[in-house]
Amino acid sequence: MKFGETFMEYLHGEQEGCLDKCAHVEYKRLKKVLKKCRSQGPPSTSCNDEQQQERDSEQNHSLSQFCHCQSCPLCDQMFFSELMREASDIAGCFSSRVRHLLHLHVARGMQRYKLRLRQCFINDQQIMVEEGRMLIEYVTMNAIAIRKILKKYDKVHCSINGKNFKSKMRSEHIELLQSPWLIELGAFYLNFDGIDGGEFSEFCSRFSCDLSATEPVMTLMLPNYTKLEYGLTCAICLEMVFNPYALSCGHLFCKLCACLAASVLMVEGLKSASSNAKCPVCREAGVYTNAVHMLELDLLVKRRCKEHWKERMVAERAETVKQTREYWDLQTKYAIGY
C-alpha cells in the first residue's frame, strides 16, 4: 500500500478518535498541486538553463542534479507557507496534548490524591497509555507525510528547496521528531513499564534506554520502524542530566548547568534569563524563557539510577541553599543601603 493511501486511512480512523480536532498535513491536496505542476512542465526556462550549466560544470559536479529553483509560479504561492503553518499547528497541538497527559501522570498534592481516588473506579493508566500511543502515531505519521511531500517537491522541481525547508523547520523549532515532548513520552512509557511489570509490554518494548553507558541514551522505535536516539548527557557537566530542562533549541541540560549558562540563580529560575542569553551548544539566543521541565525524564533517572540521583540531589540542594543565602544577603544590603 502506498503511503498516500496509508495516510488517508489513518486520517479516516483519526476522525473517529480523540485527535479529530488536531491539525494534520494536507498531504492529498499538496500532492495534487505538485502533480499539476509536473503536468505543465518545468517552472521556467531560466531554471532549465541553470540546470544545464550545473551539468556542464565540473566544479559543482556533486550538485549537478539540482537546479536551485527559487520559485515556481504554480506551487510556491501556497506550498511552503501552507506546509509551515500546518507543521506549526501540528507541533503546537502535539505539545499541548502531551503536556496535559503528562501533567496527570506526575500530578502532585491534592490533585494527585484526587487522581489516585479516581483510579479506584476508572483505569486511568490504560486510558493514558492509549492516548500516548495515539499521540506518537499522530506525530509520526505527519512527520513522514512532511518528509515525503518535500522529497516529491524536490523531485518535481529538480531542486533542493525541500531540504532547505527542513532546515528552516529546525530553526523554527517545529521539527516534529525532535520535539522534547517526544522524549517525555518515551520516558513516560519506560516509567509505566517499570511500574506495571510489563502490563503494556507489547507497546512499551518499542522504548528503551541505557543509562549506565558512558554516554546515556534513550531509543525510540516508532511505528514505521524509524529509530530515534536521544543523548541524555549534559553538555556542560558531561554527566547524565539531572532535573533536566530542554531549551527551545532542543538541547538538554541539568537545571543547575542551564542556570549557570544563562547567568541566573537557581532561586530565580530560567524564566528570568535574559533574551540575549545563548545556548552553550548551538549559540542560539532567547532559548531559556520557554524551556521545558522534563519531569518524566527526571522520574526515569530517579527510578533507574537511584544512587546517582540521590548524589546529584544533595549537591543541587547544597548549591541552591548557598545561592539563596547569597541572593537574600545582597537584597538585604541593597534594602538598608550598604
Side-chain angles (χ1 to χ4, degrees):
M1 184 183 292
K2 293 184 178 180
F3 175 77
E5 297 174 358
T6 304
F7 189 66
M8 295 309 297
E9 184 178 318
Y10 162 74
L11 290 180
H12 179 72
E14 182 186 89
Q15 298 301 320
E16 302 175 358
C18 64
L19 300 176
D20 57 324
K21 296 182 180 179
C22 291
H24 63 271
V25 176
E26 295 288 347
Y27 184 82
K28 189 174 181 179
R29 182 166 62 86
L30 293 174
K31 191 175 178 180
K32 284 183 178 180
V33 172
L34 293 179
K35 187 175 181 180
K36 182 180 178 182
C37 179
R38 179 166 54 184
S39 66
Q40 296 191 17
S44 65
T45 57
S46 61
C47 176
N48 291 333
D49 293 340
E50 186 175 349
Q51 186 179 22
Q52 186 61 39
Q53 290 176 4
E54 286 185 343
R55 286 175 181 170
D56 297 337
S57 174
E58 294 181 359
Q59 296 179 350
N60 298 323
H61 179 70
S62 61
L63 297 176
S64 61
Q65 57 183 328
F66 303 122
C67 67
H68 299 277
C69 300
Q70 294 302 314
S71 63
C72 172
L74 292 174
C75 294
D76 290 0
Q77 286 185 348
M78 51 76 65
F79 188 87
F80 288 118
S81 59
E82 282 290 310
L83 199 55
M84 179 64 77
R85 179 185 61 78
E86 291 167 2
S88 180
D89 291 345
I90 293 167
C93 178
F94 176 69
S95 62
S96 62
R97 293 294 294 268
V98 175
R99 185 186 294 110
H100 175 72
L101 173 66
L102 299 185
H103 178 70
L104 296 176
H105 186 225
V106 295
R108 298 175 180 176
M110 184 58 68
Q111 187 176 16
R112 184 175 182 85
Y113 173 77
K114 290 180 180 179
L115 289 173
R116 288 292 176 87
L117 184 63
R118 175 185 169 88
Q119 289 174 2
C120 296
F121 306 96
I122 302 175
N123 189 356
D124 277 341
Q125 288 190 349
Q126 189 170 357
I127 294 174
M128 286 191 290
V129 167
E130 179 62 21
E131 184 176 352
R133 183 196 64 77
M134 294 177 67
L135 286 168
I136 289 175
E137 187 177 13
Y138 167 72
V139 74
T140 303
M141 293 298 290
N142 281 282
I144 296 172
I146 291 174
R147 185 187 68 194
K148 285 187 174 292
I149 202 68
L150 289 175
K151 185 177 181 180
K152 193 169 189 67
Y153 179 96
D154 282 348
K155 183 178 180 180
V156 169
H157 297 90
C158 301
S159 75
I160 58 172
N161 290 336
K163 291 184 178 181
N164 294 337
F165 183 80
K166 291 181 184 178
S167 299
K168 186 177 181 181
M169 287 179 61
R170 284 191 288 269
S171 66
E172 296 287 338
H173 310 136
I174 56 174
E175 178 69 32
L176 299 180
L177 297 183
Q178 298 300 320
S179 170
W181 294 108
L182 193 54
I183 302 176
E184 278 287 84
L185 268 181
F188 167 76
Y189 278 106
L190 289 169
N191 287 328
F192 258 120
D193 187 40
I195 294 174
D196 298 296
E199 181 180 356
F200 308 105
S201 57
E202 182 178 353
F203 186 76
C204 293
S205 61
R206 298 178 180 177
F207 308 92
S208 63
C209 64
D210 186 359
L211 303 183
S212 60
T214 306
E215 296 184 0
V217 65
M218 177 188 292
T219 304
L220 309 184
M221 187 65 71
L222 298 179
N224 69 324
Y225 303 104
T226 300
K227 184 178 180 181
L228 300 177
E229 292 187 346
Y230 300 97
L232 304 180
T233 302
C234 174
I236 295 178
C237 66
L238 301 181
E239 294 188 38
M240 182 166 54
V241 289
F242 171 79
N243 195 7
Y245 275 77
L247 307 187
S248 298
C249 57
H251 293 111
L252 290 176
F253 298 96
C254 309
K255 182 181 180 180
L256 180 61
C257 296
C259 288
L260 178 65
S263 300
V264 296
L265 298 177
M266 291 280 287
V267 67
E268 295 175 315
L270 292 176
K271 290 188 179 298
S272 63
S274 169
S275 59
N276 296 323
K278 298 180 180 180
C279 170
V281 177
C282 63
R283 307 306 297 167
E284 182 177 348
V287 293
Y288 292 93
T289 305
N290 297 319
V292 177
H293 192 187
M294 310 289 280
L295 293 173
E296 287 287 350
L297 181 57
D298 189 48
L299 183 61
L300 177 66
V301 175
K302 180 180 180 180
R303 287 175 172 166
R304 300 289 180 94
C305 305
K306 294 181 180 179
E307 294 301 322
H308 171 80
W309 192 88
K310 287 180 180 179
E311 291 177 3
R312 294 295 300 273
M313 181 185 66
V314 170
E316 185 181 273
R317 282 185 176 178
E319 183 63 26
T320 302
V321 170
K322 177 184 175 182
Q323 290 186 12
T324 302
R325 185 181 296 113
E326 292 175 353
Y327 173 79
W328 286 112
D329 285 345
L330 289 174
Q331 293 297 317
T332 301
K333 291 179 179 179
Y334 176 79
I336 63 179
Y338 74 91

